[in-house]
Amino acid sequence: MRDQSFLHLADHQMQRPRHSLVAAELPPQGETYCDGSARRQASKTPQVFAGIQAMRGIAALSVVCGHAVSARPDMVGPELAEGAMTILASGVDIFFVISGFIIATTAAAQHNPFNFAFRRALRIYPVYWLVLLAAFASSYWIILAPGERPALDAGTIFAWTYPNWYIGPAWSLAFELHFYAAVAIILAIKPNRLFETLFAWLGMVVVASFFQIQLGIYSHPLVLEFGAGVGIAYLLKERGLRFSPRLIACSAGLFFAGWYWIFVQGATDPQFARVPTYGLGAGLLMYAVVSAEIEGQSFSPVLQYLGKISYSLYMVHYPLVKWIANFDRPWLLSVAGTVIALILLSVGLAIVLHVLIEAPILSWGRRLSLMRRSQSTSDTGKREGTVHPASIE
């Protein structure tokens, strides 16, 4: 029997983790740089992966479209809303794989866990806190999620726990932050064995998930999707990437299989079902994208820009959708027009948020990190009697 609770996942993310599919949200991503060893792989290996950025744009757009279509199932139609959201939910799997790839490559290029944690926090919290404040204020006038409005606690303020009543999409930030914490600990303990230790950690996740050992998020099967991205980063470092058009076909087949299993057949455990379908499909897609770019493939500048604003889009679109969903008049005038307007307004608002808030803060963070790295290198050089030039991240 089909999982009918799927339509309302945007309102109560993961409150029933064994019986409802996690809706697709856009998790935040780090910068798309290869690590030092990857740059030495070949002269044609890019320092910035335009393909990864473009895939972030596609996934971001799928997230917005999914929530726009399913915002009012009574107006759109329950079957269409549920079916569309089921396949568009795969955007979260794509972004978890991307995050695993990006974080593994960036972390491999540095051995400073504090700088790593600082950069990740700077990427997540300013935009999140701004949207959280807007959502908190909005909750006095509109319904953001089922149930009584809870008090703001530390878990919500720092996006460490889920579900998040005020910003439903923030459940994925909790997964991201737990992954970042694991990487930071590895950098503090075994920085020269990053990949080996990450693979060992992922093995622990497999064991915990299989034997149902309660380790919180670390025993959730979705964590394994970060591992797919880590694996691609490792293959890149070891020169093991080879493009094949069959990868795209296999990826598309797996996405369709996930949609059929979850929506048509009604998977008993949708969250588990998405890992070998959406998760593996996302892994094959990212493998194909990275390997294709290494071989000279280019990607749309429009999609790259959508990827650039993807975190702002991920955060800001949800309160906007909830605002419009609370009013009947736009939907009665035109359902299709309202859905399209929601998508366009979300992109426009994300651009404003990115230009005015996100980009300046990230730029400041990069400059500060380079200054700290330059100072650290200078101090080391003075102690050793040699001054080394500062490296560029």
Side-chain angles (χ1 to χ4, degrees), residues 88-207:
L88 293 170
S90 60
V92 73
D93 306 271
I94 293 174
F95 277 98
F96 279 173
V97 174
I98 289 175
S99 183
F101 174 80
I102 293 172
I103 297 305
T105 53
T106 54
Q110 59 177 297
H111 291 168
N112 189 329
F114 299 104
N115 185 63
F116 171 82
F118 171 74
R119 292 290 296 275
R120 301 285 73 75
L122 200 63
R123 170 163 284 275
I124 289 177
Y125 287 121
V127 171
Y128 170 71
W129 282 335
L130 181 61
V131 177
L132 179 62
L133 179 61
F136 178 78
S138 299
S139 66
Y140 286 92
W141 293 281
I142 64 172
I143 299 173
L144 294 172
E148 186 178 352
R149 183 183 62 183
L152 283 175
D153 58 11
T156 300
I157 293 173
F158 292 100
W160 186 254
T161 58
Y162 66 90
N164 188 310
W165 191 92
Y166 293 93
I167 310 175
W171 72 265
S172 60
L173 296 188
F175 279 73
E176 291 278 345
L177 287 167
H178 279 73
F179 177 56
Y180 298 165
V183 173
I185 291 172
I186 292 172
L187 287 177
I189 299 174
K190 288 284 186 180
N192 295 320
R193 297 289 183 181
L194 176 67
F195 284 104
E196 294 88 337
T197 313
L198 273 175
F199 289 138
W201 170 70
L202 290 165
M204 178 199 72
V205 173
V206 172
V207 172

Side-chain angles (χ1 to χ4, degrees), residues 118 122 358-371:
F118 171 74
L122 200 63
E358 183 183 13
I361 289 176
L362 293 180
S363 178
W364 173 80
R366 291 189 191 98
R367 291 196 302 270
L368 182 61
S369 294
L370 289 175
M371 289 173 58

Side-chain angles (χ1 to χ4, degrees), residues 90-387:
S90 60
V92 73
D93 306 271
I94 293 174
F95 277 98
F96 279 173
V97 174
I98 289 175
S99 183
F101 174 80
I102 293 172
I103 297 305
T105 53
T106 54
Q110 59 177 297
H111 291 168
N112 189 329
F114 299 104
N115 185 63
F116 171 82
F118 171 74
R119 292 290 296 275
R120 301 285 73 75
L122 200 63
R123 170 163 284 275
I124 289 177
Y125 287 121
V127 171
Y128 170 71
W129 282 335
L130 181 61
V131 177
L132 179 62
L133 179 61
F136 178 78
S138 299
S139 66
Y140 286 92
W141 293 281
I142 64 172
I143 299 173
L144 294 172
E148 186 178 352
R149 183 183 62 183
L152 283 175
D153 58 11
T156 300
I157 293 173
F158 292 100
W160 186 254
T161 58
Y162 66 90
N164 188 310
W165 191 92
Y166 293 93
I167 310 175
W171 72 265
S172 60
L173 296 188
F175 279 73
E176 291 278 345
L177 287 167
H178 279 73
F179 177 56
Y180 298 165
V183 173
I185 291 172
I186 292 172
L187 287 177
I189 299 174
K190 288 284 186 180
N192 295 320
R193 297 289 183 181
L194 176 67
F195 284 104
E196 294 88 337
T197 313
L198 273 175
F199 289 138
W201 170 70
L202 290 165
M204 178 199 72
V205 173
V206 172
V207 172
S209 180
F210 182 81
F211 290 103
Q212 297 185 347
I213 301 173
Q214 297 303 314
L215 298 176
I217 285 179
Y218 290 119
S219 58
H220 197 288
L222 280 177
V223 173
L224 297 175
E225 296 181 349
F226 292 102
V230 173
I232 296 170
Y234 179 78
L235 290 175
L236 177 67
K237 183 175 76 75
E238 298 296 322
R239 309 180 187 183
L241 295 177
R242 299 292 184 274
F243 175 75
S244 171
R246 295 178 181 177
L247 294 170
I248 305 296
C250 290
S251 175
L254 285 168
F255 281 116
F256 175 79
W259 175 83
Y260 186 85
W261 185 5
I262 296 167
F263 176 65
V264 179
Q265 293 295 318
T268 304
D269 186 353
Q271 292 186 45
F272 173 80
R274 71 189 300 162
V275 175
T277 54
Y278 292 163
L280 183 57
L284 291 178
L285 179 62
M286 292 305 103
Y287 180 103
V289 166
V290 174
S291 58
E293 185 164 0
I294 290 175
E295 296 181 10
Q297 179 64 48
S298 59
F299 297 87
S300 166
V302 174
L303 291 179
Q304 290 182 55
Y305 186 77
L306 280 176
K308 189 176 182 179
I309 67 170
S310 59
Y311 181 47
S312 291
L313 183 58
Y314 152 74
M315 288 302 303
V316 80
H317 86 277
Y318 187 80
L320 176 62
V321 168
K322 301 305 290 185
W323 263 101
I324 303 301
N326 272 264
F327 300 98
D328 291 336
R329 186 175 179 82
W331 302 92
L332 292 173
L333 289 174
S334 173
V335 173
T338 302
V339 170
I340 294 172
L342 272 174
I343 296 169
L344 295 178
L345 285 172
S346 295
V347 173
L349 193 55
I351 291 174
V352 173
L353 183 60
H354 174 77
V355 171
L356 297 182
I357 304 297
E358 183 183 13
I361 289 176
L362 293 180
S363 178
W364 173 80
R366 291 189 191 98
R367 291 196 302 270
L368 182 61
S369 294
L370 289 175
M371 289 173 58
R372 293 173 60 185
R373 180 176 296 183
S374 178
Q375 181 63 41
S376 176
T377 305
S378 176
D379 291 343
T380 302
K382 289 177 181 179
R383 288 195 298 268
E384 296 176 355
T386 305
V387 178

